Amino acid sequence: MSNRTEKKVGNKMNHKHATSYWTLTLSAAMLLAAGCQNDSQRTRGEEFPPDQMPRTIRVYADAQAAAAAADDPTLKACHFTNGTLNSLGQAKLDLILQGCQSCEQLSLFIDTRAADQQPSVKTSVLTYLQSQGVDAAQVKLVDGPCPQSWHAAQPDIDHMSKTESAAPGAIPAAAGTATANGSGQ
């Protein structure tokens, strides 16, 4: 091939590459410019709701906590400091009030096991409930734990599916443990 022919072919190739290069560069610039436009109508998960807005999971968790507190309305020693209702006790009473369906008669159980503090404990509970708008005539304070929340665990354990496979009173040997003859089988 002659020198002149090689130059023509080389110029055509350089021009073709230069055109492709500029076409790609302009296309990329247009895409970048289009992608940087501010589209305030679309939400992309980048916005966070304000802290005051209730979230669904928090609503469910609060409802469960209120139902559990109303199911076991027992105030224990940890709910009191020096015979006075503390913030944990106030939170439990708030949940009990939130979870009771009909608060016409509210039975609260006080299980502090400290007889010398019982009068001040009861007074502080009644004072707090009255500050929350509950009439003292609606409240019945009972010494000891709530009887509905205490029961023996044995009947529940007996009815668990994994524990019903062995004979009553028998201790099943775990796989691979040593037996009486020491064989491990």
Side-chain angles (χ1 to χ4, degrees):
M1 202 185 276
S2 72
N3 222 0
R4 193 173 182 185
T5 308
E6 286 177 12
K7 281 186 177 180
K8 281 185 179 179
V9 171
N11 285 340
K12 284 184 182 179
M13 293 298 278
N14 285 340
H15 179 67
K16 189 175 185 180
H17 285 299
T19 305
S20 296
Y21 171 77
W22 286 110
T23 304
L24 285 174
T25 303
L26 287 174
S27 298
M30 288 174 44
L31 287 173
L32 286 173
C36 292
Q37 291 179 0
N38 186 6
D39 187 8
S40 62
Q41 299 298 325
R42 296 172 61 189
T43 302
R44 297 186 179 110
E46 298 165 352
E47 296 177 18
F48 294 98
D51 288 336
Q52 298 81 16
M53 179 180 269
R55 289 171 173 70
T56 306
I57 190 68
R58 189 76 251 155
V59 171
Y60 286 124
D62 290 344
Q64 286 183 339
D71 192 45
D72 180 20
T74 303
L75 295 172
K76 300 180 180 168
C78 62
H79 297 111
F80 300 95
T81 303
N82 299 327
T84 305
L85 193 66
N86 61 22
S87 61
L88 181 63
Q90 292 174 359
K92 173 113 183 201
L93 287 175
D94 290 340
L95 287 171
I96 290 171
L97 292 174
Q98 183 182 344
C100 70
Q101 278 74 28
S102 64
C103 291
E104 294 172 12
Q105 182 64 37
L106 182 62
S107 294
L108 295 174
F109 297 86
I110 299 178
D111 187 20
T112 60
R113 303 186 197 263
D116 60 329
Q117 293 184 354
Q118 287 292 17
S120 65
V121 163
K122 289 181 179 181
T123 303
S124 68
V125 169
L126 287 173
T127 302
Y128 181 75
L129 289 173
Q130 287 173 341
S131 73
Q132 299 301 309
V134 178
D135 187 20
Q138 293 177 265
V139 180
K140 178 182 174 187
L141 297 177
V142 181
D143 292 332
C146 177
Q148 289 85 11
S149 65
W150 289 85
H151 66 280
Q154 186 63 41
D156 292 337
I157 292 173
D158 286 342
H159 292 100
M160 293 176 76
S161 63
K162 293 195 183 256
T163 61
E164 289 182 352
S165 59
I171 300 174
T177 59
T179 57
N181 64 7
S183 66
Q185 294 292 334

